[in-house]
Amino acid sequence: MDMEICWHGRGGQGVVTANEILAEVAIQAGKYVKAFPEFGPERMGAPIRAFARVSDIPIRVHTQVYEPDIVLVIDQTLIGKVDVGKGLKAGGTIIANYTGSSAELQKAIGTSAECHAVDATRISIEEIGRPMVNTSMLGALVKVRPFISYEALENHIGKKFEGKLQEKAIKQNLAALKRAYEEVQ
């Protein structure tokens, strides 16, 4: 398995959409992918997870991800309430929407794993006008672990939402993507 990813967020924050976009871009890059959500109580604001496996060879595993290489946390309020680092592989990476530094994030999670913080909430409010951080987190992900290209991600987002979102909204999301890519610590 080349890469196993676990997303943590809350219902309505775009975790599932971000995971789908990641999978679509990886498929376009010639990778094999399995991507799926896990829901608990299916309501807005409830903690949810989404998983992705990305590989250069066909994927034969059909279970959730128990030992991720990468963990993405899109809701800072989950830190300390949910064990976001559970099962993280040695050498794994945590990327979180977090207002503090990467060292402060590492301490808040209680891990020695590599941690990267990005204030995706601030970025999305400034660029999009609301705290929809999923696009920003994709930008941070491809900066920290560039297993798909930033350009492919940017192009895909522009095309995926063409006709679904107004041009202004697409440009705002692409601006948030770029800023998170540039600002992740």
Side-chain angles (χ1 to χ4, degrees), residues 27-39:
I27 289 168
Q28 289 174 357
K31 305 283 186 189
Y32 293 90
V33 177
K34 296 263 186 200
F36 49 95
E38 174 195 73
F39 297 101

Side-chain angles (χ1 to χ4, degrees), residues 53-89:
R53 287 187 175 90
V54 180
S55 181
D56 291 326
I57 59 173
I59 300 168
R60 308 250 184 256
V61 178
H62 303 288
T63 64
Q64 77 178 38
V65 171
Y66 293 101
E67 296 180 337
D69 297 284
I70 302 171
V71 172
L72 290 116
V73 183
I74 72 166
D75 188 319
Q76 178 172 322
T77 66
L78 293 173
I79 296 170
K81 293 185 175 96
V82 173
D83 185 2
V84 297
K86 183 178 181 181
L88 185 68
K89 287 181 186 159

Side-chain angles (χ1 to χ4, degrees), residues 4 8 11 21 23 29 33 47 52-53 60 65 68 77-78 96 119 128 130 148 153-154 160-161 164 170 172 174:
E4 292 186 316
H8 289 272
I21 290 169
V33 177
R53 287 187 175 90
R60 308 250 184 256
V65 171
T77 66
L78 293 173
D119 192 346
I128 301 170
R130 60 191 183 114
I148 56 174
L153 182 60
E154 184 179 55
K160 180 176 181 74
F161 294 108
K164 296 177 186 173
I170 294 170
Q172 290 169 326
L174 292 175

